[in-house]
Amino acid sequence: MLDLIGDNIWQTTGELPGPTLCVLGGVHGNELTGIEVVKRICADFASSARGLQSGRLIMAFGNPLAIEQGTRFVDGRDLNRYFTDTHLLGILDGSIEESRAKELAQVIQQSDITVDIHSTNKPSMPFISSRVDSEHLQVYQWFNASVVLADPNYVLAGEPATTDEYADRMGRVGVCVEAGDAKDVTRITSVLQSINGLMTHMGLVNEPGGEHFTGHQVFTLCDSIVLTSSGFVFAEGRGARSFESVLKGDVVGYAGKVPVLASADGVLVFPKLPEHQVLDKPLCYIAERTQ
Ligand SMILES: [Zn+2]
């Protein structure tokens, strides 16, 4: 049994009390794996074939309009930067994203654990974006990834702004799963198995436990490269994928004619496609290996 509890938000509940898990897909509308995972879990629980033993499972499509358009976001506004107090507690730009963030924040607040499934727009191995502690490991250990990207200093957006960061600051546990390249849909089954493993771990379903993964490498975001009015082009061979190694002083690209250098030894992450680059916003980040 599946109940519609909001715009593209569904829930199913078990007969016994228990924790709440929220699974989000399509916060960026072109990231197909998360969208398909939410669709399939919904289809599973909509039929009587599968039911929750205990607790509550909430599933939502993050940005229905962007999903409909098959685009990362609408008019350059990134829904996954709207989970800040200025957007959630007031009206800053009155956008659809702002009201959608408010609606999703309600369900994230009610959930003990939120898993938000994303993909990258350039090739990348699957990885986890999360705080690194035992509470979060209890969640991300079920996903087939060997790397965690941490952002304790909020380099990504300058303040907590994403769904997982919002869950964390509400005293819940939020984890973002980056399932690989946005166009690559070969990991849908693996992500579904991971969600099942997590649901079994939480006691929501009584099914065989999943495989779990530990011993992650940890990278910590330490700097960003911001698009200025001079423009930006990556240097030859740079910016093609996430987790490309750089050394401090390497030329990452050019802002006009001025070389832009890596500020630390580490890896480049989230290099943005030209069409996703926004003036005064980061177009790439540098992360240092910390574990
Ligand atoms: Zn995304």
Side-chain angles (χ1 to χ4, degrees):
M1 251 290 277
L2 210 58
D3 299 310
L4 186 69
I5 57 165
D7 175 14
N8 285 276
I9 306 172
W10 301 269
Q11 75 167 9
T12 183
T13 47
E15 283 176 20
L16 300 169
T20 299
L21 169 66
C22 173
V23 179
L24 300 174
V27 165
H28 294 133
N30 64 324
E31 297 173 4
L32 302 176
T33 298
I35 297 165
E36 197 54 37
V37 163
V38 167
K39 263 187 207 165
R40 292 195 195 179
I41 303 175
C42 282
D44 262 14
F45 285 97
S47 76
S48 52
R50 201 170 179 207
L52 275 201
Q53 171 180 259
S54 67
R56 181 155 71 124
L57 173 64
I58 300 175
M59 289 148 291
F61 290 137
N63 190 337
L65 188 60
I67 292 172
E68 206 179 291
Q69 298 181 358
T71 52
R72 176 174 170 81
F73 36 54
V74 182
D75 296 334
R77 290 183 302 268
D78 186 340
L79 175 60
N80 212 24
R81 301 291 180 272
Y82 272 79
F83 293 82
T84 64
D85 276 346
T86 42
H87 283 300
L88 296 176
L89 302 178
I91 297 175
L92 200 64
D93 64 13
S95 63
I96 294 172
E97 289 74 13
E98 195 167 72
S99 51
R100 185 57 174 165
K102 286 178 172 134
E103 191 172 17
L104 293 174
Q106 292 295 323
V107 295
I108 294 171
Q109 241 182 66
Q110 295 167 30
S111 305
D112 298 277
I113 293 171
T114 293
V115 174
D116 186 6
I117 303 159
H118 286 255
S119 325
T120 52
N121 290 290
K122 287 189 179 176
S124 171
M125 62 176 139
F127 64 99
I128 304 294
S129 273
S130 171
R131 280 191 191 173
V132 177
D133 58 27
S134 59
E135 256 188 325
H136 289 76
L137 174 64
Q138 292 295 311
V139 178
Y140 63 69
Q141 67 176 341
W142 301 103
F143 293 84
N144 188 352
S146 58
V147 167
V148 179
L149 184 66
D151 189 17
N153 303 313
Y154 304 112
V155 172
L156 188 78
E159 60 180 322
T162 62
T163 58
D164 52 299
E165 290 169 340
Y166 178 70
D168 289 339
R169 72 190 176 90
M170 290 295 110
R172 307 297 193 160
V173 177
V175 165
C176 164
V177 174
E178 294 282 356
D181 193 321
K183 289 179 289 292
D184 176 8
V185 289
T186 60
R187 296 205 176 93
I188 292 168
T189 310
S190 155
V191 175
L192 277 169
Q193 283 167 352
S194 300
I195 304 267
N196 291 343
L198 175 60
M199 287 201 293
T200 302
H201 177 73
M202 292 173 73
L204 300 190
V205 293
N206 184 12
E207 292 172 9
E211 189 182 354
H212 69 110
F213 304 86
T214 54
H216 297 83
Q217 289 181 14
V218 178
F219 289 88
T220 299
L221 284 176
C222 61
D223 201 5
S224 62
I225 295 169
V226 172
L227 180 65
T228 67
S229 54
S230 307
F232 184 87
V233 283
F234 281 103
E236 178 131 19
R238 291 288 185 200
R241 61 184 175 87
S242 277
F243 296 99
E244 171 194 332
S245 295
V246 284
L247 293 173
K248 186 175 177 175
D250 280 356
V251 176
V252 177
Y254 298 88
K257 289 189 173 137
V258 182
V260 177
L261 309 181
S263 56
D265 292 350
V267 291
L268 298 180
V269 287
F270 300 126
K272 295 209 182 328
L273 295 168
E275 61 266 36
H276 294 155
Q277 296 177 10
V278 177
L279 188 64
D280 298 328
K281 303 272 187 200
L283 55 85
C284 185
Y285 298 86
I286 298 173
E288 290 174 300
R289 175 90 186 263
T290 46
Q291 218 179 88

